[in-house]
Amino acid sequence: MNKDVIIACDFASPEATYAFLDNFKDEKPFIKIGMELFYAGGPEIVRELRRRGHRIFLDLKLHDIPNTVRKAMKVLSSLDVDMVNVHAAGTIEMMRAALEGLKEGRPDGNRPLIIAVTQLTSPSEQALHDQLLISESINDTIIKYARNAREAGLDGVVCSPLEAAIVKDACGREFMTVTPGIRYPDAAKDDQSRITSPARAREIGSDFIVVGRPITAATDPVAAYRRCCADFLGK
């Protein structure tokens, strides 16, 4: 799959999502459906957005015992999305089970890409030390989680754009990095700690950037999306 900009459609209802996407007359952007929207609209919103021609990253971050995750991924595979994810903290065994579930659900071999969340972009390194008792540096933790994901057979990881290069160095150039935490220097950081711009994410080595409020809250979201594409994809 080629590099792309993924719009995080973090809306509270299907209606708000459809109204937002109706702005895009000439494009069918790759979109992320996260927990808020999936819980509001259920599987039907995924099916409807697929019918409308959108590629979909279903961002539910599964994290449970391996058997539960395997069964859940088998069900999710029927939604015909392009990308799904789990938390890398769930262990190699859990990640392998997730991949097995996708393969069971799509025996034709046309499964979604599956990636693992290393660390969310909101916590600082100090918070990881103080609140989660992670004594290693954030970079060392992310490299270890990424290597675990690769060992489990996953396609890549979610990390902040600041860590994309070290993940590539540790796991190989073909190992995919999907990076939220995208902000322009003239924009608010909101609740993100480890951030950078689309152009810098491209330079560091991100394969996909996930962009939410800089597009969805923009006065002209189509123009904001096109700016991100120009900066990240060079077009």
Side-chain angles (χ1 to χ4, degrees):
M1 189 177 289
N2 295 328
K3 291 177 180 284
D4 212 340
V5 175
I6 302 174
I7 301 178
C9 289
D10 296 326
F11 297 104
S13 70
E15 294 74 21
T17 305
Y18 302 147
F20 169 76
L21 292 172
D22 284 344
N23 290 301
F24 294 83
K25 306 299 183 184
D26 301 320
E27 296 105 337
K28 291 290 183 183
F30 198 150
I31 60 175
K32 179 179 81 71
I33 296 176
M35 287 183 279
E36 179 184 18
L37 183 56
F38 189 78
Y39 295 157
E44 183 53 34
I45 190 170
V46 179
R47 297 187 183 102
E48 175 59 25
L49 291 171
R50 286 294 287 172
R51 283 193 290 267
R52 293 183 180 210
H54 294 281
R55 289 169 294 155
I56 295 172
F57 169 21
L58 187 58
D59 177 27
L60 300 182
K61 300 182 181 75
L62 273 61
H63 187 175
D64 211 310
I65 63 172
N67 189 52
T68 297
V69 170
R70 179 181 63 80
K71 290 179 178 179
M73 280 299 185
K74 184 176 180 179
V75 171
L76 293 178
S77 68
S78 69
L79 294 178
D80 192 30
V81 298
D82 300 273
M83 190 183 297
V84 294
N85 63 356
V86 297
H87 267 293
T91 73
I92 294 172
E93 183 183 6
M94 188 208 75
M95 289 187 280
R96 282 179 176 151
L99 180 57
E100 289 168 7
L102 289 180
K103 291 177 176 178
E104 289 171 6
R106 295 302 299 265
D108 60 0
N110 191 27
R111 65 166 177 83
L113 294 168
I114 177 169
I115 57 180
V117 178
T118 53
Q119 289 293 334
L120 300 174
T121 54
S122 52
S124 65
E125 183 161 346
Q126 194 61 47
L128 296 181
H129 293 332
D130 294 346
Q131 299 176 33
L132 301 182
L133 300 182
I134 294 175
S135 58
E136 302 296 329
S137 72
I138 195 164
N139 283 357
D140 287 345
T141 302
I142 287 167
I143 289 170
K144 175 60 175 174
Y145 284 13
R147 284 175 170 158
N148 287 349
R150 184 186 61 178
E151 183 175 341
L154 272 58
D155 301 297
V157 292
V158 181
C159 60
S160 96
L162 301 179
E163 293 114 31
I166 63 171
V167 168
K168 294 284 189 181
D169 289 343
C171 298
R173 307 310 298 174
E174 298 304 313
F175 194 68
M176 195 168 64
T177 54
V178 179
T179 62
I182 302 298
R183 292 291 186 275
Y184 282 99
D186 57 354
K189 292 175 62 176
D190 298 307
D191 55 356
Q192 307 281 2
S193 294
R194 304 191 315 282
I195 61 174
T196 195
S197 68
R200 182 61 183 142
R202 181 192 69 233
E203 293 168 359
I204 295 171
S206 298
D207 294 301
F208 295 85
I209 56 171
V210 181
V211 188
R213 285 162 286 190
I215 294 175
T216 59
T219 303
D220 185 340
V222 175
Y225 170 70
R226 289 174 178 168
R227 179 188 180 190
C228 283
C229 289
D231 287 355
F232 185 63
L233 303 173
K235 64 179 183 179

